[in-house]
Amino acid sequence: MASFSFGAGNARKLAALPLYAVGRMITLLVPRSHDEWVFGCGAGIGDGALALWEVAAADGREAVWLTGSRREATDAAARGIRTLRKSSLRGLWRTARARVIVVTHGFGDVNRYAVSGAFVVQLWHGIPLKRIGLDSPETLRLPGPLAGTRGARALRTLLGRMFRGAAHRIRILPAASHAVRGRLESAFALPDDRVPVTGEPRVDVLSRGSAADRRTLARAAIERAAGSIGPAARLVLYAPTWRDGAPDPAVPSPAEWTALVSMLERLDAVLLVRSHPLGAGEYRPPLPSDRVRELGSDLAQDVTPLLPGIDVLVTDYSSLAYDSALVPLPVVFLAPDVADYARRRGFYGRYADVAGEDWATDWTQALAQLAAVLDDAAERERRVSRARALSARVHAFRDGASSERVYRAILAGSTSAAGAAKKGRR
């Protein structure tokens, strides 16, 4: 059962219109501070927000992290990060007072009703392969009961205006490269100067230190999350993307599970299953096996630092394909619904531009490709070379310093914005 859909999310936005109006009044009455920052992240204490937090904290920046759960507060406390509950009055106040607001998913990462007038930094959470924002019809989808009503068109128009109004508040949306920049500008209807090519803070961890050290740290973190794994075992990460609230058509059948576990045993490999945080599926074999482990967001909120410990990635449309190219990892693409997904959600470019022409359409094909990668050095190198080529296309920086570039861009932009606002009040 999926935990979220665009239709349900949009219904909640429409129902909350009065709260947005109240929040707007608050931000008109409450003056923004000169230097306070607030951070939030839809995936917990991690992603690009954490990478940027570390740079800001090292510079002595006054900041607080707004959390949505007890676990987030506990994780933040373990890192010495000050927090407030984003839905509390204090969370509302700090959001309304902050000069700079940093998010990774949307305004709901902080207190969504008090962001107007701030310098909003939207770090996003991955290079999009599937269309997002205004580029995708899913963004304005209505729930079933409303979709067929006479007022559906008016509601979609209203949602479109709300989305554009929210996107217009974004002052910086960092891009990994010029190739990616155009996607973000289009999806959020932003001008060039708000989408600087700085690299993504969230993937700095994949370029810092030596490859050997990154792998050692990643394997240790994987074992803490998924349990003990032998040092010789190869790790396969299966990370299907979110189907916008629909079930994943690639969930293995009992027979496919049997074949998969048999292959893992034969080649001394372990499958780590990471379903998307916004969706769920039956990713458990009919008979328990220590060759299949869960690695969901409840066990490892941020999977990016774990990628150097992985040997093969299996995915469909996830941005992990771009992230893992920095390692670089061989990828097996398993996508049984490309035509339907292209019609419903859409891609930037052709799917084959990323997956090649040989993606698997079922588990039988995927297992054959996976076995070849694990058992044939030449096939592994062919796919690693494909990953390197993909990385060269979409990552302008591979120096681990994107967080610093974004931080400098924020300081320059927020200072300029504050000066312009002060001048306008004279």
Side-chain angles (χ1 to χ4, degrees):
M1 181 68 68
S3 60
F4 180 86
S5 69
F6 272 116
N10 286 335
R12 288 194 289 270
K13 288 179 183 176
L14 292 171
L17 279 173
L19 294 177
Y20 284 103
V22 171
R24 179 58 178 147
M25 289 297 297
I26 291 173
T27 57
L28 288 173
L29 296 173
V30 176
R32 295 277 172 188
S33 69
H34 293 295
D35 57 0
E36 292 183 24
W37 293 35
V38 296
F39 284 72
C41 175
I45 311 301
D47 213 274
L50 180 59
L52 185 60
W53 171 281
E54 291 172 347
V55 174
D59 196 40
R61 194 62 49 188
E62 182 179 353
V64 65
W65 195 295
L66 299 186
T67 63
S69 69
R70 182 174 297 176
R71 177 184 174 176
E72 288 181 27
T74 300
D75 290 346
R79 294 176 177 271
I81 295 175
R82 267 193 323 131
T83 64
L84 290 173
R85 186 82 173 188
K86 62 185 176 184
S87 59
S88 68
L89 288 177
R90 293 179 68 195
L92 172 68
W93 176 256
R94 288 303 297 268
T95 305
R97 285 281 294 154
R99 171 63 57 195
V100 176
I101 293 175
V102 178
V103 298
T104 61
H105 288 64
F107 294 162
D109 293 355
V110 290
N111 190 297
R112 67 172 72 248
Y113 306 114
V115 298
S116 295
F119 190 91
V120 177
V121 181
Q122 167 58 280
L123 298 177
W124 203 236
H125 48 280
I127 297 172
L129 167 58
K130 58 193 177 188
R131 289 183 175 271
I132 60 172
L134 294 171
D135 291 338
S136 173
E138 288 298 294
T139 301
L140 305 182
R141 180 175 292 276
L142 294 172
L146 293 178
T149 64
R150 295 177 62 181
R153 177 176 295 182
L155 288 175
R156 290 191 188 94
T157 299
L158 176 59
L159 282 170
R161 290 176 178 170
M162 290 175 66
F163 186 93
R164 287 178 180 274
H168 184 70
R169 297 187 179 101
I170 298 171
R171 302 304 296 270
I172 288 182
L173 175 57
S177 64
H178 287 283
V180 176
R181 183 186 204 181
R183 301 178 187 184
L184 299 176
E185 289 175 348
S186 175
F188 291 91
L190 292 174
D192 287 356
D193 62 344
R194 297 197 185 187
V195 190
V197 177
T198 57
E200 297 179 300
R202 58 188 296 278
V203 295
D204 277 348
V205 68
L206 299 178
S207 299
R208 290 175 176 164
S210 69
D213 287 345
R214 291 194 296 269
R215 182 169 177 82
T216 297
L217 291 172
R219 290 283 294 215
I222 290 169
E223 292 208 3
R224 287 195 297 271
S228 179
I229 299 169
R234 272 83 60 83
L235 298 183
V236 180
L237 177 64
Y238 176 44
T241 195
W242 180 44
R243 289 305 200 283
D244 304 323
D248 182 359
V251 173
S253 67
E256 288 169 335
W257 272 122
T258 298
L260 175 54
V261 171
S262 177
M263 185 211 69
L264 294 170
E265 291 174 345
R266 178 171 60 85
L267 296 175
D268 190 15
V270 172
L271 180 72
L272 303 171
V273 180
R274 186 177 182 84
S275 56
H276 194 281
L278 292 179
E282 294 300 325
Y283 298 106
R284 296 181 182 87
L287 295 176
S289 170
D290 63 359
R291 292 290 175 176
V292 179
R293 314 279 184 92
E294 293 186 14
L295 192 66
S297 58
D298 57 327
L299 298 173
Q301 289 192 324
D302 190 353
V303 74
T304 308
L306 309 186
L307 292 177
I310 302 299
D311 295 285
V312 189
L313 171 67
V314 180
T315 191
D316 42 27
Y317 318 120
S318 172
S319 61
L320 279 178
Y322 294 116
D323 301 341
S324 67
L326 283 167
V327 176
L329 286 181
V331 181
V332 171
F333 288 91
L334 170 57
D337 58 342
V338 171
D340 182 65
Y341 201 84
R343 175 189 58 79
R344 182 182 174 96
R345 184 68 183 258
F347 298 112
Y348 290 105
R350 300 184 313 134
Y351 183 58
D353 293 339
V354 174
E357 301 286 353
D358 57 348
W359 72 83
T361 59
D362 58 39
W363 272 102
T364 299
Q365 296 174 7
L367 289 180
Q369 294 185 20
L370 183 56
V373 175
L374 291 172
D375 207 29
D376 184 343
E379 175 60 14
R380 175 181 177 82
E381 182 54 36
R382 184 180 77 84
R383 291 183 185 252
V384 167
S385 295
R386 178 188 288 179
R388 290 194 185 100
L390 178 63
S391 180
R393 295 206 310 267
V394 299
H395 294 290
F397 301 96
R398 287 175 287 278
D399 58 0
S402 295
S403 301
E404 286 81 0
R405 281 186 289 272
V406 172
Y407 182 65
R408 291 195 297 270
I410 294 170
L411 294 184
S414 60
T415 299
S416 176
K422 184 176 180 180
K423 183 177 180 180
R425 290 193 294 269
R426 290 175 179 172

